[in-house]
Amino acid sequence: MTPHCRKAVSSAAGRALTDAEVRKIDDRLSATMRRLARTDPNWQGMTRDARVMAASEQAMRDVVAEAQLKVRSEEHTSELQSQEHISYAV
């Protein structure tokens, strides 16, 4: 991540990013770019900046979807634990 990008992401996050966080962001963005290169028929015709933006937007959608899935999973686990507790009490 360039210093300019790191500053912009830190500003959006409202705090300084750790080196580990920057590596995770870079890794996710690289993986998303590779995936889009394989799956998006328009990828080769895009400029580098357009590719980075497309990958960033897709990575953001992926993170949101993963977070929603995690919340649903935790809610389901909590519900199951509650049902088990009730069944043991009965």
Side-chain angles (χ1 to χ4, degrees):
M1 183 179 297
T2 67
H4 175 74
C5 288
R6 186 174 184 150
K7 185 176 178 182
V9 174
S10 292
S11 177
R15 62 178 178 77
L17 299 175
T18 66
D19 290 339
E21 289 171 324
V22 170
R23 276 191 302 279
K24 282 182 76 173
I25 292 169
D26 279 339
D27 290 347
R28 180 177 284 269
L29 189 56
S30 293
T32 302
M33 290 179 83
R34 287 190 301 275
R35 186 176 85 227
L36 290 176
R38 289 189 311 270
T39 61
D40 185 343
N42 301 317
W43 187 258
Q44 294 302 320
M46 294 178 173
T47 65
R48 170 130 174 92
D49 287 345
R51 289 178 186 175
V52 171
M53 285 303 297
S56 298
E57 291 165 359
Q58 183 60 55
M60 182 175 59
R61 287 190 297 271
D62 293 346
V63 167
V64 168
E66 290 166 13
Q68 290 171 339
L69 183 61
K70 183 176 180 180
V71 167
R72 284 194 302 270
S73 176
E74 288 173 356
E75 288 171 350
H76 181 70
T77 299
S78 178
E79 183 179 321
L80 288 174
Q81 288 171 342
S82 185
Q83 289 174 357
E84 286 176 5
H85 181 70
I86 291 170
S87 69
Y88 289 135
V90 173

